PDB file of all heavy atoms in Angstrom:
ATOM      1  N   MET A 133      19.463 -58.290  54.002  1.00  0.00           N
ATOM      2  CA  MET A 133      19.848 -59.689  54.297  1.00  0.00           C
ATOM      3  C   MET A 133      19.113 -60.658  53.364  1.00  0.00           C
ATOM      4  O   MET A 133      19.693 -61.642  52.909  1.00  0.00           O
ATOM      5  CB  MET A 133      19.497 -60.036  55.757  1.00  0.00           C
ATOM      6  CG  MET A 133      20.434 -59.414  56.754  1.00  0.00           C
ATOM      7  SD  MET A 133      21.906 -60.445  56.924  1.00  0.00           S
ATOM      8  CE  MET A 133      22.946 -59.389  57.919  1.00  0.00           C
ATOM      9  N   VAL A 134      17.838 -60.384  53.105  1.00  0.00           N
ATOM     10  CA  VAL A 134      17.050 -61.260  52.229  1.00  0.00           C
ATOM     11  C   VAL A 134      17.605 -61.202  50.803  1.00  0.00           C
ATOM     12  O   VAL A 134      17.790 -62.232  50.146  1.00  0.00           O
ATOM     13  CB  VAL A 134      15.545 -60.855  52.262  1.00  0.00           C
ATOM     14  CG1 VAL A 134      14.751 -61.632  51.227  1.00  0.00           C
ATOM     15  CG2 VAL A 134      14.974 -61.079  53.662  1.00  0.00           C
ATOM     16  N   LEU A 135      17.907 -59.983  50.323  1.00  0.00           N
ATOM     17  CA  LEU A 135      18.478 -59.843  48.973  1.00  0.00           C
ATOM     18  C   LEU A 135      19.840 -60.545  48.909  1.00  0.00           C
ATOM     19  O   LEU A 135      20.145 -61.256  47.944  1.00  0.00           O
ATOM     20  CB  LEU A 135      18.671 -58.365  48.602  1.00  0.00           C
ATOM     21  CG  LEU A 135      17.434 -57.462  48.640  1.00  0.00           C
ATOM     22  CD1 LEU A 135      17.811 -56.057  48.179  1.00  0.00           C
ATOM     23  CD2 LEU A 135      16.330 -58.017  47.753  1.00  0.00           C
ATOM     24  N   ALA A 136      20.635 -60.359  49.958  1.00  0.00           N
ATOM     25  CA  ALA A 136      21.987 -60.937  49.983  1.00  0.00           C
ATOM     26  C   ALA A 136      21.915 -62.464  49.897  1.00  0.00           C
ATOM     27  O   ALA A 136      22.694 -63.088  49.167  1.00  0.00           O
ATOM     28  CB  ALA A 136      22.716 -60.502  51.257  1.00  0.00           C
ATOM     29  N   ALA A 137      20.961 -63.073  50.627  1.00  0.00           N
ATOM     30  CA  ALA A 137      20.861 -64.537  50.629  1.00  0.00           C
ATOM     31  C   ALA A 137      20.447 -65.054  49.249  1.00  0.00           C
ATOM     32  O   ALA A 137      20.777 -66.179  48.890  1.00  0.00           O
ATOM     33  CB  ALA A 137      19.868 -64.991  51.695  1.00  0.00           C
ATOM     34  N   GLN A 138      19.743 -64.206  48.471  1.00  0.00           N
ATOM     35  CA  GLN A 138      19.400 -64.618  47.100  1.00  0.00           C
ATOM     36  C   GLN A 138      20.636 -64.639  46.206  1.00  0.00           C
ATOM     37  O   GLN A 138      20.678 -65.329  45.201  1.00  0.00           O
ATOM     38  CB  GLN A 138      18.384 -63.654  46.484  1.00  0.00           C
ATOM     39  CG  GLN A 138      16.998 -63.760  47.084  1.00  0.00           C
ATOM     40  CD  GLN A 138      16.080 -62.665  46.559  1.00  0.00           C
ATOM     41  OE1 GLN A 138      16.149 -62.274  45.402  1.00  0.00           O
ATOM     42  NE2 GLN A 138      15.238 -62.156  47.428  1.00  0.00           N
ATOM     43  N   LEU A 139      21.638 -63.854  46.575  1.00  0.00           N
ATOM     44  CA  LEU A 139      22.847 -63.759  45.748  1.00  0.00           C
ATOM     45  C   LEU A 139      23.868 -64.853  46.065  1.00  0.00           C
ATOM     46  O   LEU A 139      24.635 -65.250  45.198  1.00  0.00           O
ATOM     47  CB  LEU A 139      23.489 -62.381  45.918  1.00  0.00           C
ATOM     48  CG  LEU A 139      22.664 -61.215  45.374  1.00  0.00           C
ATOM     49  CD1 LEU A 139      23.200 -59.884  45.887  1.00  0.00           C
ATOM     50  CD2 LEU A 139      22.660 -61.219  43.846  1.00  0.00           C
ATOM     51  N   GLY A 140      23.871 -65.344  47.297  1.00  0.00           N
ATOM     52  CA  GLY A 140      24.826 -66.404  47.658  1.00  0.00           C
ATOM     53  C   GLY A 140      24.887 -66.585  49.161  1.00  0.00           C
ATOM     54  O   GLY A 140      24.569 -65.656  49.916  1.00  0.00           O
ATOM     55  N   SER A 141      25.350 -67.753  49.579  1.00  0.00           N
ATOM     56  CA  SER A 141      25.324 -68.106  51.002  1.00  0.00           C
ATOM     57  C   SER A 141      26.260 -67.230  51.848  1.00  0.00           C
ATOM     58  O   SER A 141      26.022 -67.050  53.030  1.00  0.00           O
ATOM     59  CB  SER A 141      25.726 -69.571  51.178  1.00  0.00           C
ATOM     60  OG  SER A 141      24.860 -70.399  50.448  1.00  0.00           O
ATOM     61  N   ASP A 142      27.345 -66.725  51.251  1.00  0.00           N
ATOM     62  CA  ASP A 142      28.305 -65.930  52.030  1.00  0.00           C
ATOM     63  C   ASP A 142      28.005 -64.433  51.981  1.00  0.00           C
ATOM     64  O   ASP A 142      28.648 -63.649  52.681  1.00  0.00           O
ATOM     65  CB  ASP A 142      29.727 -66.113  51.469  1.00  0.00           C
ATOM     66  CG  ASP A 142      30.299 -67.485  51.780  1.00  0.00           C
ATOM     67  OD1 ASP A 142      29.709 -68.213  52.601  1.00  0.00           O
ATOM     68  OD2 ASP A 142      31.341 -67.827  51.188  1.00  0.00           O
ATOM     69  N   VAL A 143      27.058 -64.013  51.144  1.00  0.00           N
ATOM     70  CA  VAL A 143      26.848 -62.571  50.933  1.00  0.00           C
ATOM     71  C   VAL A 143      26.304 -61.859  52.188  1.00  0.00           C
ATOM     72  O   VAL A 143      26.801 -60.792  52.550  1.00  0.00           O
ATOM     73  CB  VAL A 143      25.973 -62.307  49.685  1.00  0.00           C
ATOM     74  CG1 VAL A 143      25.812 -60.809  49.432  1.00  0.00           C
ATOM     75  CG2 VAL A 143      26.573 -62.988  48.452  1.00  0.00           C
ATOM     76  N   PRO A 144      25.303 -62.448  52.910  1.00  0.00           N
ATOM     77  CA  PRO A 144      24.760 -61.722  54.074  1.00  0.00           C
ATOM     78  C   PRO A 144      25.828 -61.355  55.110  1.00  0.00           C
ATOM     79  O   PRO A 144      25.786 -60.263  55.675  1.00  0.00           O
ATOM     80  CB  PRO A 144      23.733 -62.702  54.661  1.00  0.00           C
ATOM     81  CG  PRO A 144      23.288 -63.522  53.493  1.00  0.00           C
ATOM     82  CD  PRO A 144      24.531 -63.686  52.643  1.00  0.00           C
ATOM     83  N   PHE A 145      26.803 -62.246  55.326  1.00  0.00           N
ATOM     84  CA  PHE A 145      27.832 -61.950  56.330  1.00  0.00           C
ATOM     85  C   PHE A 145      28.512 -60.605  56.062  1.00  0.00           C
ATOM     86  O   PHE A 145      28.815 -59.845  56.989  1.00  0.00           O
ATOM     87  CB  PHE A 145      28.890 -63.067  56.392  1.00  0.00           C
ATOM     88  CG  PHE A 145      30.136 -62.620  57.101  1.00  0.00           C
ATOM     89  CD1 PHE A 145      30.096 -62.343  58.465  1.00  0.00           C
ATOM     90  CD2 PHE A 145      31.313 -62.411  56.407  1.00  0.00           C
ATOM     91  CE1 PHE A 145      31.228 -61.877  59.126  1.00  0.00           C
ATOM     92  CE2 PHE A 145      32.447 -61.947  57.056  1.00  0.00           C
ATOM     93  CZ  PHE A 145      32.411 -61.675  58.420  1.00  0.00           C
ATOM     94  N   PHE A 146      28.757 -60.295  54.789  1.00  0.00           N
ATOM     95  CA  PHE A 146      29.509 -59.074  54.468  1.00  0.00           C
ATOM     96  C   PHE A 146      28.694 -57.801  54.711  1.00  0.00           C
ATOM     97  O   PHE A 146      29.232 -56.707  54.654  1.00  0.00           O
ATOM     98  CB  PHE A 146      30.029 -59.126  53.031  1.00  0.00           C
ATOM     99  CG  PHE A 146      31.151 -60.108  52.862  1.00  0.00           C
ATOM    100  CD1 PHE A 146      30.929 -61.333  52.256  1.00  0.00           C
ATOM    101  CD2 PHE A 146      32.417 -59.811  53.321  1.00  0.00           C
ATOM    102  CE1 PHE A 146      31.953 -62.241  52.093  1.00  0.00           C
ATOM    103  CE2 PHE A 146      33.459 -60.714  53.171  1.00  0.00           C
ATOM    104  CZ  PHE A 146      33.226 -61.936  52.558  1.00  0.00           C
ATOM    105  N   LEU A 147      27.399 -57.951  54.990  1.00  0.00           N
ATOM    106  CA  LEU A 147      26.627 -56.767  55.395  1.00  0.00           C
ATOM    107  C   LEU A 147      26.981 -56.387  56.831  1.00  0.00           C
ATOM    108  O   LEU A 147      26.823 -55.237  57.226  1.00  0.00           O
ATOM    109  CB  LEU A 147      25.122 -57.044  55.283  1.00  0.00           C
ATOM    110  CG  LEU A 147      24.602 -57.380  53.876  1.00  0.00           C
ATOM    111  CD1 LEU A 147      23.133 -57.776  53.935  1.00  0.00           C
ATOM    112  CD2 LEU A 147      24.789 -56.197  52.922  1.00  0.00           C
ATOM    113  N   LEU A 148      27.456 -57.383  57.604  1.00  0.00           N
ATOM    114  CA  LEU A 148      27.813 -57.139  59.009  1.00  0.00           C
ATOM    115  C   LEU A 148      29.306 -56.943  59.205  1.00  0.00           C
ATOM    116  O   LEU A 148      29.731 -56.022  59.874  1.00  0.00           O
ATOM    117  CB  LEU A 148      27.387 -58.330  59.882  1.00  0.00           C
ATOM    118  CG  LEU A 148      25.920 -58.711  59.926  1.00  0.00           C
ATOM    119  CD1 LEU A 148      25.739 -59.934  60.817  1.00  0.00           C
ATOM    120  CD2 LEU A 148      25.107 -57.550  60.474  1.00  0.00           C
ATOM    121  N   GLY A 149      30.114 -57.858  58.637  1.00  0.00           N
ATOM    122  CA  GLY A 149      31.562 -57.830  58.852  1.00  0.00           C
ATOM    123  C   GLY A 149      31.932 -58.211  60.273  1.00  0.00           C
ATOM    124  O   GLY A 149      31.074 -58.629  61.063  1.00  0.00           O
ATOM    125  N   GLY A 150      33.216 -58.089  60.602  1.00  0.00           N
ATOM    126  CA  GLY A 150      33.691 -58.463  61.931  1.00  0.00           C
ATOM    127  C   GLY A 150      33.726 -59.967  62.108  1.00  0.00           C
ATOM    128  O   GLY A 150      34.085 -60.700  61.181  1.00  0.00           O
ATOM    129  N   THR A 151      33.358 -60.423  63.299  1.00  0.00           N
ATOM    130  CA  THR A 151      33.306 -61.860  63.596  1.00  0.00           C
ATOM    131  C   THR A 151      31.835 -62.233  63.766  1.00  0.00           C
ATOM    132  O   THR A 151      31.102 -61.538  64.461  1.00  0.00           O
ATOM    133  CB  THR A 151      34.042 -62.168  64.921  1.00  0.00           C
ATOM    134  OG1 THR A 151      35.289 -61.477  64.928  1.00  0.00           O
ATOM    135  CG2 THR A 151      34.289 -63.657  65.088  1.00  0.00           C
ATOM    136  N   ALA A 152      31.399 -63.297  63.123  1.00  0.00           N
ATOM    137  CA  ALA A 152      29.997 -63.700  63.277  1.00  0.00           C
ATOM    138  C   ALA A 152      29.860 -65.202  63.111  1.00  0.00           C
ATOM    139  O   ALA A 152      30.554 -65.818  62.295  1.00  0.00           O
ATOM    140  CB  ALA A 152      29.110 -62.983  62.255  1.00  0.00           C
ATOM    141  N   VAL A 153      28.958 -65.772  63.906  1.00  0.00           N
ATOM    142  CA  VAL A 153      28.601 -67.178  63.740  1.00  0.00           C
ATOM    143  C   VAL A 153      27.615 -67.265  62.580  1.00  0.00           C
ATOM    144  O   VAL A 153      26.707 -66.446  62.474  1.00  0.00           O
ATOM    145  CB  VAL A 153      27.932 -67.720  65.029  1.00  0.00           C
ATOM    146  CG1 VAL A 153      27.262 -69.061  64.774  1.00  0.00           C
ATOM    147  CG2 VAL A 153      28.956 -67.849  66.143  1.00  0.00           C
ATOM    148  N   GLY A 154      27.829 -68.239  61.694  1.00  0.00           N
ATOM    149  CA  GLY A 154      26.894 -68.483  60.599  1.00  0.00           C
ATOM    150  C   GLY A 154      26.342 -69.893  60.727  1.00  0.00           C
ATOM    151  O   GLY A 154      27.117 -70.843  60.881  1.00  0.00           O
ATOM    152  N   ILE A 155      25.027 -70.042  60.700  1.00  0.00           N
ATOM    153  CA  ILE A 155      24.443 -71.386  60.715  1.00  0.00           C
ATOM    154  C   ILE A 155      23.476 -71.526  59.533  1.00  0.00           C
ATOM    155  O   ILE A 155      23.336 -70.599  58.738  1.00  0.00           O
ATOM    156  CB  ILE A 155      23.757 -71.725  62.069  1.00  0.00           C
ATOM    157  CG1 ILE A 155      22.463 -70.934  62.244  1.00  0.00           C
ATOM    158  CG2 ILE A 155      24.681 -71.474  63.242  1.00  0.00           C
ATOM    159  CD1 ILE A 155      21.615 -71.486  63.396  1.00  0.00           C
ATOM    160  N   GLY A 156      22.828 -72.688  59.432  1.00  0.00           N
ATOM    161  CA  GLY A 156      21.964 -72.922  58.270  1.00  0.00           C
ATOM    162  C   GLY A 156      22.844 -73.022  57.031  1.00  0.00           C
ATOM    163  O   GLY A 156      23.905 -73.642  57.045  1.00  0.00           O
ATOM    164  N   ARG A 157      22.438 -72.370  55.952  1.00  0.00           N
ATOM    165  CA  ARG A 157      23.269 -72.295  54.735  1.00  0.00           C
ATOM    166  C   ARG A 157      24.512 -71.452  54.938  1.00  0.00           C
ATOM    167  O   ARG A 157      25.375 -71.356  54.068  1.00  0.00           O
ATOM    168  CB  ARG A 157      22.474 -71.562  53.647  1.00  0.00           C
ATOM    169  CG  ARG A 157      21.662 -72.357  52.718  1.00  0.00           C
ATOM    170  CD  ARG A 157      20.857 -71.359  51.889  1.00  0.00           C
ATOM    171  NE  ARG A 157      21.713 -70.620  50.966  1.00  0.00           N
ATOM    172  CZ  ARG A 157      21.353 -69.500  50.347  1.00  0.00           C
ATOM    173  NH1 ARG A 157      20.155 -68.973  50.560  1.00  0.00           N
ATOM    174  NH2 ARG A 157      22.171 -68.912  49.510  1.00  0.00           N
ATOM    175  N   GLY A 158      24.545 -70.727  56.075  1.00  0.00           N
ATOM    176  CA  GLY A 158      25.592 -69.731  56.314  1.00  0.00           C
ATOM    177  C   GLY A 158      24.992 -68.335  56.310  1.00  0.00           C
ATOM    178  O   GLY A 158      25.681 -67.345  56.539  1.00  0.00           O
ATOM    179  N   THR A 159      23.668 -68.278  56.081  1.00  0.00           N
ATOM    180  CA  THR A 159      22.986 -66.982  55.950  1.00  0.00           C
ATOM    181  C   THR A 159      22.324 -66.537  57.256  1.00  0.00           C
ATOM    182  O   THR A 159      21.866 -65.417  57.353  1.00  0.00           O
ATOM    183  CB  THR A 159      21.894 -67.035  54.861  1.00  0.00           C
ATOM    184  OG1 THR A 159      20.960 -68.056  55.220  1.00  0.00           O
ATOM    185  CG2 THR A 159      22.473 -67.344  53.495  1.00  0.00           C
ATOM    186  N   GLU A 160      22.237 -67.462  58.233  1.00  0.00           N
ATOM    187  CA  GLU A 160      21.664 -67.083  59.537  1.00  0.00           C
ATOM    188  C   GLU A 160      22.826 -66.706  60.423  1.00  0.00           C
ATOM    189  O   GLU A 160      23.682 -67.547  60.721  1.00  0.00           O
ATOM    190  CB  GLU A 160      20.888 -68.256  60.147  1.00  0.00           C
ATOM    191  CG  GLU A 160      19.671 -68.649  59.337  1.00  0.00           C
ATOM    192  CD  GLU A 160      19.146 -70.021  59.751  1.00  0.00           C
ATOM    193  OE1 GLU A 160      19.042 -70.274  60.969  1.00  0.00           O
ATOM    194  OE2 GLU A 160      18.858 -70.823  58.857  1.00  0.00           O
ATOM    195  N   LEU A 161      22.851 -65.425  60.821  1.00  0.00           N
ATOM    196  CA  LEU A 161      24.079 -64.897  61.428  1.00  0.00           C
ATOM    197  C   LEU A 161      23.863 -64.409  62.839  1.00  0.00           C
ATOM    198  O   LEU A 161      22.796 -63.893  63.171  1.00  0.00           O
ATOM    199  CB  LEU A 161      24.586 -63.731  60.571  1.00  0.00           C
ATOM    200  CG  LEU A 161      25.002 -64.144  59.157  1.00  0.00           C
ATOM    201  CD1 LEU A 161      25.095 -62.918  58.259  1.00  0.00           C
ATOM    202  CD2 LEU A 161      26.327 -64.887  59.171  1.00  0.00           C
ATOM    203  N   PHE A 162      24.883 -64.577  63.634  1.00  0.00           N
ATOM    204  CA  PHE A 162      24.873 -63.995  64.973  1.00  0.00           C
ATOM    205  C   PHE A 162      26.217 -63.307  65.196  1.00  0.00           C
ATOM    206  O   PHE A 162      27.255 -63.960  65.224  1.00  0.00           O
ATOM    207  CB  PHE A 162      24.640 -65.089  66.024  1.00  0.00           C
ATOM    208  CG  PHE A 162      24.472 -64.509  67.387  1.00  0.00           C
ATOM    209  CD1 PHE A 162      23.242 -64.016  67.798  1.00  0.00           C
ATOM    210  CD2 PHE A 162      25.558 -64.389  68.239  1.00  0.00           C
ATOM    211  CE1 PHE A 162      23.093 -63.436  69.055  1.00  0.00           C
ATOM    212  CE2 PHE A 162      25.414 -63.798  69.496  1.00  0.00           C
ATOM    213  CZ  PHE A 162      24.181 -63.331  69.900  1.00  0.00           C
ATOM    214  N   PRO A 163      26.198 -61.967  65.319  1.00  0.00           N
ATOM    215  CA  PRO A 163      27.467 -61.248  65.481  1.00  0.00           C
ATOM    216  C   PRO A 163      28.120 -61.542  66.825  1.00  0.00           C
ATOM    217  O   PRO A 163      27.438 -61.602  67.838  1.00  0.00           O
ATOM    218  CB  PRO A 163      27.058 -59.770  65.414  1.00  0.00           C
ATOM    219  CG  PRO A 163      25.623 -59.743  65.005  1.00  0.00           C
ATOM    220  CD  PRO A 163      25.026 -61.072  65.326  1.00  0.00           C
ATOM    221  N   LEU A 164      29.428 -61.721  66.833  1.00  0.00           N
ATOM    222  CA  LEU A 164      30.206 -61.930  68.058  1.00  0.00           C
ATOM    223  C   LEU A 164      31.008 -60.661  68.348  1.00  0.00           C
ATOM    224  O   LEU A 164      31.219 -59.840  67.453  1.00  0.00           O
ATOM    225  CB  LEU A 164      31.179 -63.103  67.871  1.00  0.00           C
ATOM    226  CG  LEU A 164      30.571 -64.489  67.681  1.00  0.00           C
ATOM    227  CD1 LEU A 164      31.674 -65.530  67.509  1.00  0.00           C
ATOM    228  CD2 LEU A 164      29.666 -64.869  68.847  1.00  0.00           C
ATOM    229  N   PRO A 165      31.473 -60.508  69.590  1.00  0.00           N
ATOM    230  CA  PRO A 165      32.329 -59.346  69.880  1.00  0.00           C
ATOM    231  C   PRO A 165      33.578 -59.386  69.005  1.00  0.00           C
ATOM    232  O   PRO A 165      33.985 -60.459  68.554  1.00  0.00           O
ATOM    233  CB  PRO A 165      32.708 -59.538  71.350  1.00  0.00           C
ATOM    234  CG  PRO A 165      31.866 -60.634  71.874  1.00  0.00           C
ATOM    235  CD  PRO A 165      31.323 -61.412  70.731  1.00  0.00           C
ATOM    236  N   ASP A 166      34.167 -58.212  68.758  1.00  0.00           N
ATOM    237  CA  ASP A 166      35.383 -58.152  67.946  1.00  0.00           C
ATOM    238  C   ASP A 166      36.497 -58.976  68.576  1.00  0.00           C
ATOM    239  O   ASP A 166      36.765 -58.859  69.773  1.00  0.00           O
ATOM    240  CB  ASP A 166      35.859 -56.697  67.810  1.00  0.00           C
ATOM    241  CG  ASP A 166      34.996 -55.926  66.822  1.00  0.00           C
ATOM    242  OD1 ASP A 166      34.182 -56.573  66.118  1.00  0.00           O
ATOM    243  OD2 ASP A 166      35.133 -54.698  66.756  1.00  0.00           O
TER     244      ASP A 166
END
Side-chain angles (χ1 to χ4, degrees):
M133 286 277 171
V134 173
L135 303 183
Q138 289 173 36
L139 293 166
S141 302
D142 288 348
V143 183
F145 164 67
F146 288 104
L147 299 174
L148 300 178
T151 314
V153 167
I155 71 167
R157 268 173 70 196
T159 59
E160 295 165 45
L161 296 163
F162 186 83
L164 294 180
D166 284 350

